[in-house]
Amino acid sequence: MKASNLPVDEARLWSDLMALAEITDPNKPYTRRSFTPLFLEGRAWLKQRFENAGLATRIDAGGNLIGRRPGAKPGNGTIVIGSHSDTVPSGGRFDGTAGVLAALEVARSLDERGHVLDHDLEVIDCLAEEVSAFGISCVGSRAIAGSLTDEMLAHVGPGGEQVADALRRVGGDPDRLAQAKRSDIAAYLELHIEQGPVLETEIVDLGIVETIAGITRLELTVAGRADHAGTTPMHLRRDALVAAAAIMSALRDLALEMSDRSEGYFVATIGEMHVEPNAANVIAGSVRLIVDARAERRLTMEHFVARLRERMPDVAAQNGAELTAITTLSDVLPAQGDAALCNALTEAADALGLTHRRMASGAGHDAVHFSRIAPAAMVFTPCRGGRSHCPEEWAEPGELAAGAAAMLGAILAIDRGAAKNGRD
Ligand code: GLV
Ligand code: MN
Ligand code: MN
């Protein structure tokens, strides 16, 4: 990285990141799950930081924490920058928080450098980007895009609480969700750590994201028969967990086939399983598996789901059980980065002497939902060893500051109208 004297305060951004990371379950660093007391503690800290930076804060009906900096020409629309402050269980210190705090740093830096924008600027901490205990991701950004449905609001989580009630608890208002939907966003920019190894391996400062993979999540229900683990002879069993294991292996083979077909990026994972009754001396009577599949191209996803539906019932039957249901939990289409915003980020990176490359994102992001209603783009910064969604996740202070500086440069260009946003 050649750039020095970046127009943002690297040390201040870093100290914010480390301070927010301290708000974690001490027994499970780094954990700040959405809707929990720790999440609200993190939010209270963020709100204070937003206010210290002169931003006017509010929580919208979708539960998003918003800090607003008015522009000189009301009516020009709003430039929104941000990401999310919730984490996966035992996650890292940068996924999401880097984007929220880089956005805050950009707002502070604009003030300190005396930049008055024509556009209003908003820094957003989107609610519950990670799949929460309610089984839904991107609750806040879906609300902003107008796609948080009644069905999603009715999803039940821990203790029988519904998403709608959880939303109320964090300051949102499910009865006035229409107020969260936005039509004033001129541009959305999100900085995020790459969460993969490409930038580090290729020694490139920044990734400009052209496509974000679509994500489809399916729940597979495997039914067997619960019986005594000591007395039921092996040939008489209908073990749902054995069938689930065969399904996992067959699904991996199918995913390998799909990813080898050169139809763009494709991965599929089973990372969640619920076994009933889940006891050492009882043969599993039923198992629910959650499949998380990601494809750069929609057609690839459609092929994958069709093959899964075709093949997996046989796999279950060959292993003495029945695949009784395949339920779609969520189905998000791939998203494209706005060409003009990607160019603005590229030009800003060039002006700072930063190297960059175009890339696709295999991870989901709030930007996907913003892209449905406004021009949106993302800038990725390197992360060590490509590790993410784990406590080892790491990014260097200078790399994050470089990404924030590129975002700042792009915002100035967008504000001047130098980056044509392609939708007006
Ligand atoms: C978000 O972190 C995702 O699951 O891609
Ligand atoms: Mn994540
Ligand atoms: Mn994230």
Side-chain angles (χ1 to χ4, degrees):
M1 191 171 66
K2 287 197 277 326
S4 56
N5 291 326
L6 293 168
V8 293
D9 187 332
E10 174 184 317
R12 184 169 55 186
L13 169 56
W14 186 255
S15 100
D16 275 353
L17 271 162
M18 293 304 109
L20 184 50
E22 290 290 311
I23 305 175
T24 173
D25 179 342
N27 301 314
K28 225 175 160 189
Y30 296 92
T31 304
R32 200 172 43 255
R33 297 287 283 153
S34 51
F35 303 108
T36 63
L38 272 172
F39 172 74
L40 289 170
E41 205 182 306
R43 270 275 172 100
W45 181 87
L46 266 177
K47 179 172 184 288
Q48 193 59 57
R49 293 302 282 165
F50 283 14
E51 284 170 2
N52 292 349
L55 301 172
T57 61
R58 70 176 196 279
I59 293 192
D60 72 3
N64 300 296
L65 172 64
I66 301 179
R68 189 166 178 90
R69 179 181 189 264
K73 294 191 181 158
N76 262 18
T78 308
I79 297 174
V80 177
I81 47 178
S83 192
H84 61 96
S85 69
D86 64 315
T87 73
V88 295
S90 296
R93 285 165 281 185
F94 304 92
D95 174 359
T97 54
V100 176
L101 293 170
L104 172 62
E105 181 52 33
V106 164
R108 284 188 297 228
S109 194
L110 285 168
D111 273 354
E112 286 168 2
R113 275 150 219 278
H115 290 296
V116 180
L117 300 182
D118 283 345
H119 293 79
D120 296 331
L121 181 79
E122 284 186 358
V123 176
I124 298 201
D125 170 29
C126 296
L127 178 66
E129 188 268 357
E130 306 288 2
V131 184
S132 65
F134 297 89
I136 299 175
S137 61
C138 297
V139 172
S141 49
R142 284 181 206 266
I144 285 174
S147 56
L148 186 64
T149 62
D150 288 345
E151 194 191 337
M152 290 173 182
L153 287 171
H155 268 240
V156 175
E161 188 182 33
Q162 291 190 330
V163 172
D165 298 322
L167 187 52
R168 272 188 205 99
R169 264 197 306 109
V170 300
D173 187 346
D175 302 321
R176 295 198 169 75
L177 216 48
Q179 292 175 2
K181 184 167 164 22
R182 303 285 293 264
S183 55
D184 62 312
I185 300 177
Y188 174 77
L189 291 179
E190 178 172 355
L191 175 146
H192 207 285
I193 56 163
E194 180 201 339
Q195 306 183 275
V198 175
L199 296 174
E200 184 186 60
T201 309
E202 295 186 0
I203 318 180
V204 174
D205 296 323
L206 300 177
I208 316 269
V209 180
E210 287 190 308
T211 310
I212 304 174
I215 306 180
T216 301
R217 292 201 181 93
L218 305 168
E219 182 180 83
L220 276 44
T221 308
V222 185
R225 199 179 63 200
D227 276 312
H228 197 298
T231 59
T232 315
M234 294 309 289
H235 67 286
L236 292 179
R237 294 173 176 221
R238 291 175 50 203
D239 188 330
L241 191 49
V242 168
I247 287 175
M248 277 184 209
S249 170
L251 188 118
R252 198 260 318 254
D253 292 346
L254 177 56
L256 277 169
E257 266 174 49
M258 303 298 300
S259 63
D260 282 349
R261 285 162 52 108
S262 312
E263 288 180 1
Y265 187 76
F266 181 84
V267 290
T269 307
I270 295 178
E272 187 176 337
M273 180 166 83
H274 303 268
V275 182
E276 288 296 331
N278 205 23
N281 60 352
V282 185
I283 295 164
S286 72
V287 176
R288 284 187 297 120
L289 304 169
I290 311 294
V291 179
D292 174 305
R294 304 180 181 220
E296 192 178 340
R297 300 199 194 145
R298 181 62 181 174
L299 207 57
T300 314
M301 183 67 84
E302 286 171 4
H303 285 159
F304 169 74
V305 173
R307 285 187 190 167
L308 181 154
R309 287 185 180 280
E310 204 175 279
R311 279 193 205 173
M312 298 309 149
D314 289 345
V315 175
Q318 284 153 13
N319 287 278
E322 194 186 347
L323 184 52
T324 51
I326 300 177
T327 311
T328 304
L329 299 179
S330 62
D331 187 28
V332 174
L333 301 179
Q336 304 305 321
D338 179 80
L341 296 191
C342 287
N343 289 339
L345 285 166
T346 304
E347 282 165 23
D350 282 338
L352 291 161
L354 300 166
T355 56
H356 51 83
R357 59 161 283 163
R358 298 290 170 118
M359 60 194 305
S361 170
H365 295 288
D366 293 304
V368 168
H369 300 282
F370 281 91
S371 79
R372 312 292 190 221
I373 54 158
M378 292 190 74
V379 59
F380 278 177
T381 58
C383 80
R384 187 193 288 169
R387 302 288 310 282
S388 185
H389 279 188
C390 57
E392 292 79 11
E393 186 177 272
W394 184 257
E396 293 296 331
E399 294 168 343
L400 295 167
M407 199 158 65
L408 190 150
I411 288 169
L412 293 175
I414 294 162
D415 189 57
R416 290 196 303 271
K420 192 113 186 58
N421 70 25
R423 292 225 183 169
D424 52 6

